[in-house]
Amino acid sequence: MTEKELKDLLLPQLADFEKEAMELNDYMAENPETGSCEYHSAAAIAELLRKYGIPVEMPFAGFDTAFKGTINPEKEKRIALLAEYDALRGLGHACGHCASGTASVLAALAFNKMKEQLDFGIDIIGTPDEEINGDKCFMADQGLFDGYDFAVMVHMGGFSTVKVDFIALDGLGFRWHGKPAHAAGAPEQGRNALNAARLFMDATDMMRQHVIQETRMHGFIKNGGEASNIVPDCAEVEFLTRAPKRADLNDITAWVKDCARAAALATRTEVEMFPVGAPFHELYVSDLGTEIMEACYEELGIPYVKGASGMTGSSDIGNVDYRCPAFHPVMGIGKDYACHTKEFADEMTSEGTHQAIRNSAAFMLMMAVKLYGNPELLAKLKAEHKAYRGYER
């Protein structure tokens, strides 16, 4: 089927499901659930997919709130539509996952309506807990994204762009164990765990001039004692390290761990180290991938800011990209609000966000139109990605 034929086939189908999609979004926006606790959100999505004949497996991949809906299971050529729906602690849907997840559902329903005329299949995969643990990372480690031609989702933002800067991230927890003592009566008998945490923070600050400029290191002391007249016997730090590429970050993280050990040695305490969430990898988008996404925006008449990054940070979408080409553009909600703010959360049921959902679903359909309507373009995209990542699958 040609690109034009696919476009004419798929895009008109969105209108049939828009009303229910907006109701789904508004329900999730008004009933936010944090990572790994998205029971009602996942159930509402699964119910809507099943209503239109899409079989849904849930729980999926070992996660109670993950799911997989399958369209055209017999087809070898396949797309993974990724759906997020977890909220932020204390802020609700201030990252817009209710809307981005709904957009993937809307796209899936349009694909499903025309499935008998498609020579490819679609899996919509519910990926919980992006904000904390990053369940896409664990799914990728299971090989669940191997073999897809590409994976795609759209995130909401203050303005539309195809560019995001997602760098690799490690979440680290450190807990120093010392010995309590009366801080005035017998301080020499104590071993101060808070001193170890403070030394660690100072040591990592001193690292900054000796790591690559793009490195980001930040954290906070979660626990530093119970009373001012007791030598603190336990202190805990939550810490994040980031770098543009996983290969760079591995050495930086190892150095940070050395700082924790050194702090323990200097204070004669013991340090316990543990991960905080999964390691996030960087997202790679080739120049060709960027051109394809921009062409989709332009053909749909969606204004976007060329070359401007819609997001800077880290996300578990990078781990998907280590297994297949992954796309994660940003769709503007009509107001230039930053994510992770109350103002952004308050916009999630607005008409601007509803329009962003329509635009995002249309974009995902257009990605299939572009890549399956031009087989040589898809082959080139996959070859470039394979060469960059260096995988054999």
Side-chain angles (χ1 to χ4, degrees):
M1 196 176 295
T2 68
E3 180 179 332
K4 184 179 185 308
E5 289 170 337
L6 272 174
K7 182 179 178 181
D8 291 344
L9 177 72
L10 291 171
L11 287 178
Q13 312 313 319
L14 292 172
D16 288 351
F17 308 103
E18 283 183 5
K19 181 177 182 295
E20 288 170 291
M22 303 315 157
E23 290 171 351
L24 172 67
N25 169 76
D26 293 358
Y27 167 77
M28 292 193 291
E30 292 164 0
N31 298 275
E33 297 172 299
T34 55
S36 299
C37 295
E38 316 96 323
Y39 294 101
H40 293 96
S41 298
I45 294 172
E47 181 181 0
L48 182 55
L49 294 173
R50 287 169 176 153
K51 176 180 176 179
Y52 289 99
I54 300 175
V56 177
E57 179 184 352
M58 188 175 73
F60 176 67
F63 301 101
D64 288 343
T65 56
F67 65 83
K68 178 181 178 181
T70 302
I71 301 166
N72 286 348
E74 74 285 358
K75 303 295 184 183
E76 183 176 352
K77 296 186 290 184
R78 304 200 70 76
I79 307 168
L81 298 178
L82 308 180
E84 297 176 349
Y85 34 91
D86 61 317
L88 283 161
R89 291 173 285 186
L91 278 176
H93 275 290
C95 205
H97 292 176
C98 56
S100 59
T102 294
S104 295
V105 172
L106 179 55
L109 294 172
F111 277 126
N112 184 64
K113 186 178 177 184
M114 295 291 105
K115 64 182 179 180
E116 293 180 2
Q117 300 181 55
L118 301 177
D119 66 350
F120 57 90
I122 304 95
D123 293 325
I124 177 168
I125 302 175
T127 58
D129 207 349
E130 187 271 343
E131 296 290 353
I132 304 172
N133 288 316
D135 285 353
K136 295 186 195 69
C137 303
F138 303 109
M139 291 180 172
D141 289 344
Q142 294 178 47
L144 297 180
F145 301 110
D146 295 2
Y148 285 107
D149 293 316
F150 64 97
V152 62
M153 62 171 287
V154 180
H155 206 287
M156 304 300 139
F159 60 92
S160 297
T161 181
V162 305
K163 179 176 170 58
V164 294
D165 292 317
F166 284 157
I167 60 179
L169 173 147
D170 285 328
L172 309 167
F174 301 98
R175 190 177 295 120
W176 288 267
H177 299 279
K179 182 180 178 182
H182 194 293
E188 73 282 357
Q189 296 179 16
R191 295 294 178 263
N192 196 313
L194 177 59
N195 283 350
R198 292 172 57 207
L199 277 174
F200 167 79
M201 299 298 281
D202 286 345
T204 53
D205 276 345
M206 292 175 187
M207 276 181 59
R208 296 179 193 276
Q209 63 180 310
H210 302 297
V211 293
I212 59 174
Q213 186 174 3
E214 299 84 1
T215 301
R216 297 290 183 268
M217 298 187 296
H218 38 98
F220 71 106
I221 298 175
K222 296 182 69 172
N223 172 33
E226 298 295 333
S228 59
N229 62 348
I230 301 173
V231 173
D233 66 326
C234 183
E236 184 176 340
V237 167
E238 184 175 303
F239 203 80
L240 300 178
T241 59
R242 306 183 198 237
K245 293 186 178 182
R246 169 53 55 186
D248 295 323
L249 184 58
N250 286 340
D251 183 60
I252 293 165
T253 296
W255 194 349
V256 167
K257 291 179 178 179
D258 285 342
C259 290
R261 295 186 188 97
L265 181 64
T267 54
R268 291 189 172 179
T269 59
E270 300 292 330
V271 64
E272 173 189 357
M273 305 184 193
F274 49 92
V276 177
F280 286 11
H281 300 336
E282 74 279 6
L283 175 65
Y284 164 71
V285 179
S286 67
D287 290 342
L288 178 60
T290 298
E291 291 171 7
I292 294 167
M293 288 191 288
E294 288 179 346
C296 291
Y297 272 49
E298 289 165 6
E299 289 195 30
L300 291 169
I302 299 170
Y304 69 98
V305 182
K306 190 178 180 70
S309 178
M311 289 188 173
T312 300
S314 306
S315 175
D316 54 5
I317 187 73
N319 296 55
V320 178
D321 188 67
Y322 267 59
R323 318 300 294 200
C324 71
F327 299 94
H328 187 288
V330 175
M331 194 67 67
I333 61 170
K335 291 189 178 178
D336 192 12
Y337 291 150
C339 291
H340 290 216
T341 63
K342 183 179 184 300
E343 291 79 10
F344 198 87
D346 290 344
E347 284 297 308
M348 285 302 99
T349 58
S350 70
E351 177 51 36
T353 295
H354 288 179
Q355 185 57 49
I357 292 169
R358 297 182 191 100
N359 290 342
S360 299
F363 169 84
M364 286 182 268
L365 296 182
M366 278 299 299
M367 287 293 290
V369 167
K370 286 287 182 189
L371 292 170
Y372 288 126
N374 299 279
E376 69 289 346
L377 188 63
L378 176 59
K380 184 178 180 182
L381 176 77
K382 292 172 68 176
E384 287 186 3
H385 187 270
K386 180 177 179 179
Y388 180 85
R389 289 298 188 199
Y391 59 77
E392 289 293 337
R393 278 190 284 279

